[in-house]
Amino acid sequence: MERQKVRVGIDVGGTFTDAAVIDNETFEVIEKMKIPTTHHDEDGVAKGIVQILDKILASRGIRPDDVTFIAHGTTQATNALLEGDVASVGIIGMGSGLDGLSARSESNPGDIELAPGKFLKTFHTYLDSKELTDERIEAAIDELVRQGAEVIVASEAYSVDDPANELRVADIASRKGIYATGGHEISQLYGLKTRTRTAVVNASLIPKMMETANMTEKSVKNANIKSQLMIMRCDGGVMSIDEVRKRPILTMLSGLAAGVAGALMYEKISDGIFFEVGGTSVDISVIKNGKVMIKNAQVGGHRTYLQSLDVRTLGIAGGSMIKVSGGRISDVGPRSAHIAGKEYEAFAQTGDIVSPKVKYVSPRAGDPAEYAVCECAGGKEFSYTLAGAANILGYIPEGDYAEGNKEAAVKAWEALAAHVGLSVEETARQVMDIAIDKTMKTVNEMIEDYELDRSFVTLVGGGGSGAVLVPAMAERENMKCQIANNAPYISTIGVALAMVKEQLERTVVNPTEEDIKRIRAEIVERIVKSGANEDTVEVTIEIDSQKNILRAIATGSTELRSKDLGQQAMSEQEMAAIAAQSVDQPLEHTKLAAQTGRWSLYASEQVKKAFFGLVKKKSNAVSVLDREGVVRFKRANVQYAKLSKSQFGGALNEFLDDNTIYSDANATIPKVFVFYKEKMLDLTGMQTKEQLLSILEIETELLRAEDELIVIAYQ
């Protein structure tokens, strides 16, 4: 009998370390558990990873050989930056001639403020690249270490074109037993100032992360697991532990990426806003066309070359406390019951709420004494919370992680309601409205930033307190919502299901076919180094002509598996209904117009009569769905064609020419998407027809002449 193969995800959070075991074939969750995070153990958080791994495998009799994939997400880098718990960095700036003048100042960022009052300390020295000798490099390193540097960063002007000098400095430092890294390792973009800053933040995390990486890796090996340990990245992918040792900055914000990665795998979301709601805060991110939205991360208000999930965090969550001033409810959060060291009123026994009275506390020194708690006979105190309001108002589904004791909550809130001169229901509603107002301010900004269509957006609740906030918000704002499957473990599941990911960016003006081939080959080499099986790798090339950036993004898995979650295929009728709704068209005008591989294109055509019915106006809108019914592209006024690979020369050329706008000065080619087999190819960054066709040629070189593709073009 063949044994069940499993994937293991471990998520190390501030309060709990969670683990989930998932069937490698069906992606069903077999087991999940939480234990307190072992911050104070001499082995640190790695100890908890060992404990939970032993426990969860033993609970199901899973043998180490049955683990095909193991990954963990960590908030360690994020916490280290917030708390200023980082190593001091010595920078060796390099350059020569005229470039040397600016390189001296641009490679010296000074002390970097990570959080109010928390600084990353740097020391700087400068060497002329033309007079670089091993002795000079050694002397510079010794001097920086004498000043207090624990890690060395080598940063030279134009090192992305030739990193030899940076590598030389790093090599000499590591021979002296000092951690070192070069600016070119983090980013291949020009811009010495931002590249140096990104490299410095990365370097400051290396010593601490090395320690944890080594311990965690040892614990996985001691458990006899042969599978390579993978670590979650901030863009929702994973990378090998060797890569973490070089580029720990990529794990910053990775805990946030894991939740939305899990929601995407499970929830079939086309356009949505994902809320991971915990006890103290909510992390909000955007899904558009079935993909997560990414942007350049900032550290201490400065831009870095780190691409991470666009996550906005607010102090609103299940445990958010209620502020009262001047006899009325004034605010919800940012402090939570956890921070004040109080239990939630919603999880009290009814018998504990005896003659409740309102009392005010300041959760942390310096906070105003305006946070309300419920003091009961016998001196027992409970915090009033947003979770209490949601339970009273009936928003929490039965059996949900946040479901509490409504009777106890109502009893406790009677005192608060009397105190502010309202009914219990009105008081809870007021609290809920304040929380929704605060959250919707951010939600509306994100809808605007990413040009989402409100009527098609789904609000998705994840985390232990997803149901505390999301259903009430959706009801009031008249939007669709759902609570994610296994919501309290969604991050851990995201870690277990994650794909290996790599990204490379180069500064290139008008990239040639040669440039594109080179970056493509390099990203494939990189992702295979990061642990992906080469046969599973998919590469997307993007050209940002405004910033002159050529970007390659690769994803792959650690073993051969399709990313299809084995869910039931949808009927054509169900798909048509989703397609019609996505472009806001009536179902009777929406038809399946083209189909290939995993893709179905639905078109809605309407003829509108204008000018007293004498002029007919045709409008069309298309929606492309994958086989699971997720809308991956939708737009009005586009042209589409279904072609075989053999028609690239003739029909494709003609199709592109028909959709090109010619003026005296130039030809403006259309924005193009191509769908075939399992792949969606975004060619919207291309500037010329030659560029577009050369990328298409590279991407489809393995297709047979009769293989079919859907091509969409719009201006």
Side-chain angles (χ1 to χ4, degrees), residues 320-324 328-332 345-346 384-396 406 409-437 468-469 472-473 475-476:
S320 291
M321 297 177 76
I322 289 148
K323 281 174 86 171
V324 178
R328 29 186 280 278
I329 289 165
S330 60
D331 204 358
V332 178
E345 82 291 44
Y384 288 109
T385 63
L386 186 60
N391 272 285
I392 288 168
L393 295 169
Y395 285 114
I396 314 284
K406 184 173 173 180
V410 168
K411 218 167 146 187
W413 278 63
E414 280 167 355
L416 182 63
H419 191 77
V420 295
L422 297 167
S423 71
V424 168
E425 186 99 357
E426 287 166 341
T427 313
R429 178 64 62 196
Q430 226 176 55
V431 164
M432 188 56 82
D433 278 337
I434 291 172
I436 292 172
D437 288 341
V468 169
L469 184 61
M473 183 155 54
E475 177 189 86
R476 197 188 86 179

Side-chain angles (χ1 to χ4, degrees), residues 157-311:
Y158 301 109
S159 65
V160 295
D161 297 333
D162 177 8
N165 288 336
E166 288 188 358
L167 290 168
R168 193 170 154 198
V169 171
D171 185 48
I172 291 171
S174 58
R175 285 208 299 266
K176 291 166 106 28
I178 299 158
Y179 293 126
T181 175
H184 75 278
E185 290 190 71
I186 295 300
S187 170
Q188 300 281 310
L189 291 178
Y190 291 148
L192 186 61
K193 200 171 176 174
T194 305
R195 192 168 70 240
T196 305
R197 188 186 305 119
T198 310
V200 166
V201 172
N202 180 61
S204 74
L205 296 164
I206 289 176
K208 192 109 191 166
M209 294 296 274
M210 284 295 270
E211 215 174 287
T212 305
N214 294 342
M215 268 184 215
T216 315
E217 187 176 45
K218 201 171 92 191
S219 62
V220 169
K221 285 196 171 131
N222 288 349
N224 290 318
I225 290 172
K226 307 281 182 290
S227 180
Q228 183 185 15
L229 176 65
M230 307 298 284
I231 311 289
M232 197 79 194
R233 293 163 51 109
C234 52
D235 55 11
V238 288
M239 59 184 179
S240 68
I241 198 147
D242 285 338
E243 290 300 312
V244 177
R245 292 185 173 102
K246 288 201 288 264
R247 298 181 287 163
I249 191 171
L250 290 177
T251 68
M252 190 175 105
L253 304 176
S254 69
L256 310 178
V260 75
L264 266 181
M265 289 294 250
Y266 258 11
E267 301 300 322
K268 296 188 175 182
I269 304 294
S270 301
D271 285 14
I273 296 186
F274 178 68
F275 302 83
E276 185 145 358
V277 194
T280 302
S281 61
V282 55
D283 297 317
I284 310 173
S285 40
V286 167
I287 296 165
K288 182 178 179 178
N289 293 338
K291 291 202 305 219
V292 209
M293 296 295 102
I294 301 252
K295 67 167 184 97
N296 276 6
Q298 294 205 346
V299 173
H302 294 290
R303 199 167 75 93
T304 65
Y305 281 151
L306 171 70
Q307 289 262 308
S308 77
L309 214 65
D310 183 1
V311 177

Side-chain angles (χ1 to χ4, degrees), residues 92 125 134-149 152 172-173 176 178:
I92 296 180
T125 186
D134 286 6
E135 294 71 37
R136 285 200 167 120
I137 294 172
E138 276 207 45
I141 293 171
D142 291 342
E143 176 53 29
L144 291 168
V145 170
R146 193 192 60 70
Q147 290 176 35
I152 299 294
I172 291 171
K176 291 166 106 28
I178 299 158

